[in-house]
Amino acid sequence: MKIGLVGLGKMGNNMRSRLKNAGIDVVGYDTNPDVSDVPDYAALAAALPAPRTVWVMVPAGRITDSVVDALKGVLDQGDLVIDGGNTKFTDDELHAKSLAERGIDFMDVGVSGGVWGLKNGYGLMVGGSDEQVERVMPIFDALRPEGPREEGFVHAGPVGAGHYTKMVHNGIEYAIMQAYAEGYELLESSPHVTDVPGTFKAWQRGTVIRSWLLELMVRALDADPDFADIDGYVDDSGEGRWTLEEAIENAVPMPAISAAIFARFVSRQDQSPAMKAVAALRNQFGGHAVKAHEAKAAQDLHPTK
């Protein structure tokens, strides 16, 4: 089997290696000529047998739009484009409709696994037709983790369902990471716990909160127990926001996920205007301290308050 792969960054390049290790021939294209197998999209199409399959692994938004448009110009009827990036599910229908004008099929795949996917495999969430899923199942089997297919792969529904599922997956991820982070901060601030990294490490077996994210937390603490070399700035890729938009649209309460996203916004403020306003109000009605050193002195005098 032979496949084209557009986008050879950290994820794409690892996916190319995993596919090749499974015996699938991969022709990669990237704007960086040092990693690309072919010079342009036309050469990519020429290197693939019909019906062609091209997997797109580039950043969501305008870059994905431009790649889909470029492939539309070089592919033929019966070919297939798979978007494995973090595209918003509403864009999938637009891409599918555009490619269908030339008889080109489209699928969307939510991919989870990050930089560890080369070794561990990728969790795959697929949107598309039954026929196309069956056609490229060898590709999915090569990329997914070892073990039962249903534990690392799902045909979630028609076009858009793969990226919708991945969107919700990432929203859940936000909340889990925030919970671990808040637990870490409380343990660090407590006078009762002297081994915070050891505590997280001990949670890896037998506890109900064990997970791969917990293993990564332990790994991070082993490398830097106090996170001294890490800034407390946390970005978001957009999928958490889309999850909340869908929650509002469908009247589904999501207090944990929404709190996790808002916590990321707070992390980007050196001096939170909202918290300044709260401090000013507390000072107005109760004469409470508005400076950090004054607040610390008060805490030293009244540590339970």
Side-chain angles (χ1 to χ4, degrees), residues 1-4 19-20 22-27 47-49 51-55 80 82 107 131-142:
M1 192 170 194
K2 195 169 188 177
I3 182 176
L19 288 167
K20 286 185 173 181
I24 294 176
D25 193 3
V26 181
V27 181
L48 299 173
R52 305 174 183 88
T53 299
V54 179
W55 187 299
L80 171 65
I82 302 173
M107 296 178 68
E131 295 77 15
Q132 294 299 348
V133 170
E134 183 178 356
R135 168 182 160 182
V136 294
M137 187 58 76
I139 295 171
F140 297 143
D141 280 341

Side-chain angles (χ1 to χ4, degrees), residues 26-305:
V26 181
V27 181
Y29 171 69
D30 194 274
T31 54
N32 178 4
D34 293 335
V35 298
S36 188
D37 298 322
V38 291
D40 52 37
Y41 290 105
L44 175 67
L48 299 173
R52 305 174 183 88
T53 299
V54 179
W55 187 299
V56 178
M57 206 68 195
V58 300
R62 287 178 292 179
I63 296 178
T64 295
D65 294 342
S66 67
V67 171
V68 170
D69 287 343
L71 290 173
K72 180 180 178 181
V74 299
L75 298 181
D76 299 315
Q77 183 173 348
D79 292 343
L80 171 65
V81 173
I82 302 173
D83 179 6
N86 284 332
T87 297
K88 190 173 184 179
F89 69 95
T90 50
D91 289 344
D92 292 324
E93 296 177 8
L94 301 177
H95 294 155
K97 183 177 180 180
S98 175
L99 291 169
E101 294 172 357
R102 287 182 49 86
I104 302 167
D105 290 320
F106 176 84
M107 296 178 68
D108 58 288
V109 181
V111 180
S112 181
V115 296
W116 295 89
L118 172 59
K119 176 182 177 182
N120 300 332
Y122 300 90
L124 303 175
M125 297 145 266
V126 177
S129 69
D130 292 338
E131 295 77 15
Q132 294 299 348
V133 170
E134 183 178 356
R135 168 182 160 182
V136 294
M137 187 58 76
I139 295 171
F140 297 143
D141 280 341
L143 290 172
R144 67 175 178 81
E146 295 182 7
R149 180 186 288 165
E150 63 270 18
E151 293 183 6
F153 168 89
V154 62
H155 180 194
V159 167
H163 282 147
Y164 195 102
T165 307
K166 178 59 170 17
M167 173 190 73
V168 177
H169 165 283
N170 279 25
I172 294 170
E173 176 188 299
Y174 279 42
I176 295 173
M177 288 194 291
Q178 185 66 25
Y180 285 141
E182 292 175 7
Y184 167 79
E185 182 169 355
L186 181 56
L187 289 170
E188 273 289 320
S189 66
S190 170
H192 304 291
V193 180
T194 58
D195 187 358
V196 175
T199 299
F200 275 89
K201 189 171 293 186
W203 287 345
Q204 291 182 101
R205 296 183 185 274
T207 75
V208 296
I209 62 167
R210 62 190 185 275
S211 71
W212 185 47
L213 283 173
L214 179 61
E215 293 175 19
L216 295 178
M217 183 73 169
V218 169
R219 180 183 175 89
L221 286 168
D222 282 343
D224 185 2
D226 299 318
F227 294 147
D229 296 328
I230 297 177
D231 290 329
Y233 179 101
V234 185
D235 207 347
D236 68 288
S237 62
E239 290 183 299
R241 303 185 189 203
W242 304 338
T243 303
L244 288 190
E245 291 172 4
E246 281 298 294
I248 294 169
E249 179 69 22
N250 292 281
V252 175
M254 285 191 166
I257 293 175
S258 61
I261 293 172
F262 293 141
R264 294 193 178 196
F265 298 162
V266 172
S267 79
R268 301 169 203 174
Q269 298 176 314
D270 291 332
Q271 290 285 344
S272 168
M275 291 301 99
K276 285 185 177 182
V278 171
L281 287 169
R282 292 181 76 246
N283 177 258
Q284 288 295 318
F285 71 70
H288 299 289
V290 295
K291 298 294 185 181
H293 71 275
E294 295 172 351
K296 184 179 185 305
Q299 284 291 319
D300 289 341
L301 287 174
H302 308 285
T304 60
K305 293 184 178 181

